Amino acid sequence: MLYNEDSSSVERLLIKKQQNRITPEEQARLEQLLKENPEAKAFAEFYQDEPSQESELQSDDDVHAIWQTLEEKMLHSKTKSKTIFPRKLWLAAASIVIIISATAYFTLKPNTDLISKAEAGTETEATKNIVLHVTGGKEVNLTGNNSETIITGTTSVLAGKQSMDLKGVSGAAHGWNTIDIPKRLDYKLRLSDGTEVTLNSATKLKFPFTFEGDKREVYLEGEAYFNIAKSVNPFIVHTSKGDITVLGTEFNVNTYTKDVLKTALVKGAVNVSFNNKVVRLKPGEELTWNKDEHTITELDERITLSWIQGVLYFHNTPLSEIALMIERWYAVPVQIDDNTLAAEPFTGNLEKTQPLDDFLKPMKGIVKMRCYYEGKVLHMTRL
């Protein structure tokens, strides 16, 4: 596992609790997590021990200063760092800062331009189903039922609405299958060799039910995180921008942007090929291949990998990029009415499972913008 799931759940529930959005069922879940899991309890204690300081916030500079203080305190804490999973440190700091900044803004300057729940409801109208296109032409809707049995060759596959496990499958029909993840949803898939794939929204993956020959190959459009099962046979992820070849490793692939291939390596090694050029990545590196040019930078897991656990982290991210993410996740078209606003940076982390209006509130507090609908199009403009 890349992250500690209990700590991640505690973080999201604490965010909801502080924003007075937690349900009785979620409160019970939070209490159960804290009771059963020492790491989750330690995470919550660190989170709750931090003073809100909301009355002291006067500007974005104050927010950034608190952010840096929290990160330094967490990274150098001798007592807490032993119990909090290392890759969750940034999440705690990020969640505290964004809640502090949002609370301060609404305390000092009430916002009268909140998007109504009725308007936010447009985000669900375009939500589609997760569909598995099975070799031979059959289409299976994986969203409606808890599970669906798929007969293929001499075997059957049980597919759920949130995940599908093909490990150990044999005797399946030859050919390619494609799973189509729409906007607003994500999905987990374990392939026949044991490779685990987490698929982000607006993503397609073409794969066989069983791998044959001396290569394991899949085709990706969108974004996915791969935890490759070790094997003497190479695993190849084909994209329209290039190919990634590995033996056993963990990495993220993003092809959302036209003509751009992004590959982030967590551990192991990968070769990325494009137009007869090959680049080998080391753990902790992220490759961006834009047409014929490529750059390698240090991997910031906070930004690149946070989507896996349902938390979106932004660091000086232009509003134009966040707008594209909103379109993918909420299935709502976005138009920014001011070019200077499109370039406005935003830093913080937001929970992608919350309603769109709640998602936008902290951003509006920092960026100082107004959001409104014209039909089904969400407009963003300066105050």
Side-chain angles (χ1 to χ4, degrees):
M1 294 296 295
L2 179 64
Y3 298 108
N4 182 302
E5 290 187 349
D6 284 346
S7 295
S8 177
S9 297
V10 167
E11 180 203 358
R12 291 197 294 271
L13 292 173
L14 285 173
I15 291 174
K16 285 191 172 183
K17 184 175 181 180
Q18 187 157 352
Q19 294 178 340
N20 294 320
R21 297 190 298 107
I22 194 167
T23 66
E25 292 78 10
E26 290 170 333
Q27 178 65 37
R29 171 62 176 161
L30 176 60
E31 293 173 357
Q32 187 69 19
L33 283 172
L34 299 182
K35 181 179 179 181
E36 295 179 349
N37 191 293
E39 285 188 351
K41 184 177 181 180
F43 181 90
E45 288 175 351
F46 187 96
Y47 185 100
Q48 293 173 328
D49 284 346
E50 294 300 318
S52 69
Q53 306 180 56
E54 60 186 47
S55 61
E56 300 175 13
L57 288 175
Q58 300 295 331
S59 68
D60 289 349
D61 291 337
D62 296 326
V63 173
H64 297 315
I66 292 174
W67 183 300
Q68 293 172 356
T69 299
L70 289 174
E71 283 191 324
E72 182 177 356
K73 185 183 298 184
M74 296 178 76
L75 289 172
H76 296 288
S77 171
K78 294 182 179 180
T79 57
K80 297 292 194 297
S81 62
K82 294 180 181 179
T83 54
I84 299 177
F85 197 77
R87 284 183 177 137
K88 292 302 296 177
L89 295 179
W90 60 269
L91 282 174
S95 60
I96 293 170
V97 169
I98 192 62
I99 292 172
I100 290 173
S101 60
T103 304
Y105 177 74
F106 293 118
T107 300
L108 300 174
K109 182 178 179 180
N111 193 332
T112 59
D113 183 43
L114 302 183
I115 297 175
S116 70
K117 296 290 183 181
E119 288 174 318
T122 59
E123 71 196 47
T124 62
E125 294 177 6
T127 299
K128 299 180 181 179
N129 297 319
I130 296 175
V131 177
L132 176 65
H133 303 269
V134 183
T135 182
K138 181 180 180 181
E139 291 188 359
V140 182
N141 177 6
L142 301 180
T143 305
N145 302 315
N146 289 329
S147 62
E148 181 81 20
T149 300
I150 303 165
I151 306 298
T152 171
T154 60
T155 190
S156 61
V157 174
L158 187 64
K161 62 181 181 180
Q162 294 180 323
S163 64
M164 177 166 50
D165 192 349
L166 301 174
K167 186 177 181 180
V169 168
S170 61
H174 301 300
W176 293 95
N177 314 283
T178 301
I179 188 166
D180 190 348
I181 314 301
K183 296 176 180 179
R184 199 71 176 91
L185 300 174
D186 49 29
Y187 199 77
K188 295 182 184 295
L189 172 66
R190 185 156 68 162
L191 300 173
S192 60
D193 66 334
T195 290
E196 298 175 356
V197 187
T198 303
L199 300 165
N200 206 349
S201 59
T203 294
K204 293 181 181 180
L205 184 74
K206 186 165 75 170
F207 63 96
F209 279 136
T210 56
F211 291 111
E212 299 176 347
D214 58 359
K215 291 188 294 186
R216 299 171 291 168
E217 298 178 277
V218 298
Y219 292 80
L220 175 71
E221 177 184 332
E223 183 173 25
Y225 184 87
F226 292 83
N227 185 353
I228 306 298
K230 291 184 178 180
S231 170
V232 295
N233 296 329
F235 193 103
I236 305 173
V237 180
H238 298 283
T239 77
S240 61
K241 287 93 173 179
D243 301 329
I244 301 96
T245 303
V246 302
L247 291 176
T249 185
E250 292 185 33
F251 62 99
N252 194 80
V253 181
N254 183 327
T255 67
Y256 281 137
T257 305
K258 183 180 180 181
D259 297 326
V260 175
L261 170 63
K262 293 184 178 182
T263 305
L265 181 60
V266 176
K267 65 180 182 181
V270 301
N271 290 332
V272 184
S273 59
F274 182 80
N275 285 348
N276 298 320
K277 298 179 182 178
V278 179
V279 175
R280 188 175 182 84
L281 288 183
K282 296 182 294 185
E285 292 183 336
E286 182 168 13
L287 169 72
T288 300
W289 211 315
N290 190 346
K291 297 183 178 178
D292 290 330
E293 302 294 328
H294 75 271
T295 58
I296 297 177
T297 57
E298 182 179 356
L299 169 62
D300 188 338
E301 295 185 7
R302 299 172 297 179
I303 296 175
T304 304
L305 305 179
S306 60
W307 68 268
I308 301 170
Q309 292 299 320
V311 178
L312 299 171
Y313 176 87
F314 306 103
H315 181 68
N316 290 330
T317 304
L319 189 60
S320 58
E321 292 186 19
I322 298 176
L324 293 176
M325 184 283 304
I326 290 174
E327 291 185 347
R328 285 196 302 269
W329 184 248
Y330 288 100
V332 174
V334 179
Q335 179 174 321
I336 301 176
D337 297 330
D338 186 322
N339 289 334
T340 61
L341 180 61
E344 191 78 25
F346 174 77
T347 294
N349 81 305
L350 301 169
E351 183 186 359
K352 73 176 187 179
T353 56
Q354 61 190 344
L356 178 54
D357 56 342
D358 291 342
F359 183 92
L360 291 170
K361 285 178 185 177
M363 292 175 53
K364 292 162 64 179
I366 294 175
V367 179
K368 306 298 188 298
M369 64 179 180
R370 184 172 72 91
C371 297
Y372 64 95
Y373 280 95
E374 284 188 359
K376 295 183 179 180
V377 178
L378 172 64
H379 287 258
M380 298 179 176
T381 187
R382 284 193 181 277
L383 286 174

